[in-house]
Amino acid sequence: MNRLRKKGFTVEIDLKEFGYEDYSVECTYRYIKKKEKYLLRMGLVPKDFNSRIKIEFNKIDTQLISGTRETIEDHIDRIIEYMATNGSFDKYIKQFEYECKCFDLGNEILEQETIKEINDKI
């Protein structure tokens, strides 16, 4: 549990010990009284990036889980550990890193075009 940082009804779990050096998972949970379960939403958090990758947007996981007020964070920790040890985050991290590379290459092309336009005016 020492890898878990509490933020109200959100916990952030560092994935470093599972080989994902630059990532953590942010989990937000809320109790659904009618179902007597917690709704869990997860998002990958790249450490060098100023935003969160919503996992539910990328169709990794939004799920109902059992637990009590006292046990919910332990349950979340175990779910993340299971997902990390089974490679469940690999695909989404690769996708994010690919999108960053695409952005960098696209940005480089646009910068070259801008420099060319400036040079053409001179």
Side-chain angles (χ1 to χ4, degrees):
M1 279 290 279
N2 60 351
R3 63 179 166 252
L4 192 136
R5 287 192 305 272
K6 295 181 182 189
K7 303 174 181 179
F9 292 104
T10 299
V11 293
E12 188 171 338
I13 301 167
D14 195 336
L15 295 176
K16 186 180 195 176
E17 74 179 74
F18 304 108
Y20 302 101
E21 195 71 29
D22 299 323
Y23 294 90
S24 60
V25 177
E26 188 176 87
C27 300
T28 301
Y29 57 94
R30 128 180 110 92
Y31 190 70
I32 308 296
K33 201 174 206 176
K34 287 181 184 178
K35 305 232 181 208
E36 295 183 352
K37 292 188 178 208
Y38 284 87
L39 178 68
L40 174 63
R41 291 194 173 110
M42 293 184 255
L44 283 171
V45 181
K47 293 184 180 166
D48 304 4
F49 202 67
N50 291 332
S51 78
R52 175 185 118 142
I53 304 166
K54 292 181 182 176
I55 294 177
E56 65 269 15
F57 177 77
N58 290 322
K59 297 183 175 51
I60 291 180
D61 215 16
T62 298
Q63 61 179 284
L64 289 171
I65 61 173
S66 298
T68 65
R69 234 179 245 184
E70 295 78 22
T71 64
I72 189 64
E73 291 174 356
D74 287 330
H75 290 206
I76 292 170
D77 189 49
R78 277 186 264 134
I79 288 168
I80 298 304
E81 182 175 353
Y82 176 81
M83 291 178 74
T85 56
N86 287 311
S88 298
F89 298 117
D90 292 351
K91 169 171 116 174
Y92 302 98
I93 289 171
K94 285 177 186 172
Q95 176 185 340
F96 170 72
E97 290 174 352
Y98 173 79
E99 289 171 3
C100 286
K101 285 179 185 177
C102 289
F103 174 81
D104 289 342
L105 289 171
N107 189 53
E108 186 177 318
I109 290 168
L110 290 174
E111 285 177 356
Q112 289 172 358
E113 287 177 3
T114 303
I115 290 171
K116 185 181 181 304
E117 288 174 10
I118 292 170
N119 288 337
D120 289 347
K121 291 180 182 180
I122 295 178

